[in-house]
Amino acid sequence: MGEIRKKKLLFVFVSICMLLLVGYEARPFNHIEMNGMISVAHRGASNFAPENTQSAFRKALELGADFLECDVHLSKDGELIIIHDDKVDRTTNGSGYVKNFSLAELKELDAGGKFHTAFAGEKIITLNELLDEFYGEVGLLIEIKKPSKYPGIEEKVVDLLSEYKDLNGIIVQSFDIESMRKMNTLLPELEVALLMRPSIQSLSSQKISDLTSFATYINFNVSYVNKRVVNQIHNQGGKVLVWSTKNQGWVDKAYQYDVDGIITDYSIWPVEAPIQLVLE
């Protein structure tokens, strides 16, 4: 196996090797092939460094991820802010809704200390800052969070992405189907993805045909999808990414379903391992 392929496999499967430390019987490395699947770092390498920060994104790139996944909200002054929650309370030393802070105020918050003291002082970043550093180096999967709460956020994302001539390797996703339909209308050359809630029984062939008419990817929690649905999406020309429910067998299930990629934050690692490794 060549060095490039080894690096691509590393991001997902080194975690399986580490499970040996906690008694899980992992399959041999060469048994679980990526088979063309891409690896997506969920909020960066978010079990190694504070989620959605430069440290997490840099670590994911170092570990060989194919894509960095991030979440976007709007600040009070209309800046595209990378953070998962609509409030800053969980991941920073602040309190309140992102939309009630200006960019300058958000930059005053500590986005790393709650994860580990080694990351104290880590800053919240903007989508523009992420693109400045990582565009062209790795794929980017950008999730617009709750777009209905941020009128005009699609236009702001489009305005920013339109500054880049080549949008290959950039995907924008959301749980909001109409928001992604709008994104496709505003910037047809951009790939969009739909995040699906656990109601696949209502995902008829006709519905899949409609969704794949504008969305390149239809993405699922791996527990709420099956091979039949994946096959139907592929037959309509679409692709599928899955994310984990922290079940140790989820990578095997994704492989069996023949999905196109895996979104992971190393949730199946031992709790102590990621912090220890990132500090070495």
Side-chain angles (χ1 to χ4, degrees):
M1 186 181 296
E3 290 301 318
I4 294 176
R5 182 162 182 155
K6 285 181 181 178
K7 184 176 180 182
K8 183 173 181 179
L9 290 169
L10 173 64
F11 182 73
V12 175
F13 297 115
V14 71
S15 56
I16 295 176
C17 297
M18 285 298 294
L19 288 172
L20 293 171
L21 297 178
V22 291
Y24 177 70
E25 186 177 353
R27 293 178 181 270
F29 180 82
N30 60 3
H31 177 82
I32 310 174
E33 292 289 336
M34 282 296 282
N35 196 29
M37 293 189 295
I38 61 173
S39 58
V40 183
H42 186 228
R43 309 178 201 172
S46 53
N47 267 14
F48 285 93
E51 64 180 59
N52 276 318
T53 65
Q54 292 285 44
S55 290
F57 296 131
R58 289 169 182 164
K59 188 64 180 177
L61 186 61
E62 174 189 333
L63 291 170
D66 296 308
F67 275 77
L68 307 177
E69 188 268 352
C70 67
D71 307 282
V72 175
H73 293 263
L74 273 185
S75 67
K76 181 170 64 177
D77 47 353
E79 296 291 337
L80 294 163
I81 305 300
I82 294 182
I83 189 170
H84 180 269
D85 301 354
D86 57 359
K87 300 179 76 173
V88 301
D89 301 49
R90 179 177 62 85
T91 56
T92 81
N93 63 338
S95 180
Y97 288 95
V98 176
K99 66 180 181 180
N100 293 334
F101 288 83
S102 68
L103 174 60
E105 291 167 337
L106 290 167
K107 287 290 188 180
E108 292 298 315
L109 301 179
D110 180 349
K114 281 190 172 181
F115 180 86
H116 193 278
T117 55
F119 294 97
E122 187 87 29
K123 300 298 182 183
I124 288 175
I125 65 171
T126 64
L127 182 57
N128 189 64
E129 288 173 314
L130 182 78
L131 286 161
D132 280 346
E133 179 164 353
F134 296 104
Y135 172 79
E137 297 295 321
V138 64
L140 299 173
L141 177 58
I142 302 162
E143 181 179 348
I144 299 179
K145 304 296 289 188
K146 302 180 180 179
S148 61
K149 291 190 174 184
Y150 304 108
I153 191 171
E154 294 93 350
E155 286 84 356
K156 285 184 175 293
V157 172
V158 166
D159 286 346
L160 177 57
L161 294 181
S162 295
E163 297 176 9
Y164 296 85
K165 293 182 179 179
D166 186 358
L167 296 179
N168 286 328
I170 297 180
I171 306 166
V172 175
Q173 69 176 0
S174 177
F175 280 102
D176 189 317
I177 292 174
E178 295 312 309
S179 175
M180 293 300 95
R181 200 186 298 271
K182 181 179 181 180
M183 286 293 297
N184 177 249
T185 299
L186 291 170
L187 197 59
E189 61 268 36
L190 175 71
E191 290 189 326
V192 300
L194 304 173
L195 292 163
M196 303 306 294
R197 301 188 186 279
S199 56
I200 63 169
Q201 63 271 19
S202 62
L203 200 59
S204 65
S205 295
Q206 183 175 353
K207 183 66 172 177
I208 290 172
S209 180
D210 172 56
L211 298 180
T212 54
S213 70
F214 66 92
T216 304
Y217 290 86
I218 302 179
N219 302 339
F220 299 85
N221 184 309
V222 73
S223 294
Y224 304 124
V225 72
N226 55 52
K227 188 69 164 63
R228 176 186 61 81
V229 171
V230 174
N231 286 344
Q232 286 182 320
I233 293 168
H234 284 164
N235 289 339
Q236 294 288 351
K239 299 178 182 179
V240 177
L241 303 179
V242 295
W243 67 91
S244 135
T245 56
K246 301 175 177 60
N247 181 299
Q248 294 172 348
W250 73 283
V251 174
D252 274 346
K253 184 182 289 187
Y255 172 73
Q256 292 164 13
Y257 291 167
D258 195 27
V259 303
D260 299 281
I262 297 175
I263 303 170
T264 178
D265 57 4
Y266 287 149
S267 296
I268 56 178
W269 279 69
V271 173
E272 298 82 7
I275 295 176
Q276 177 184 353
L277 289 175
V278 81
L279 296 179
E280 287 179 353

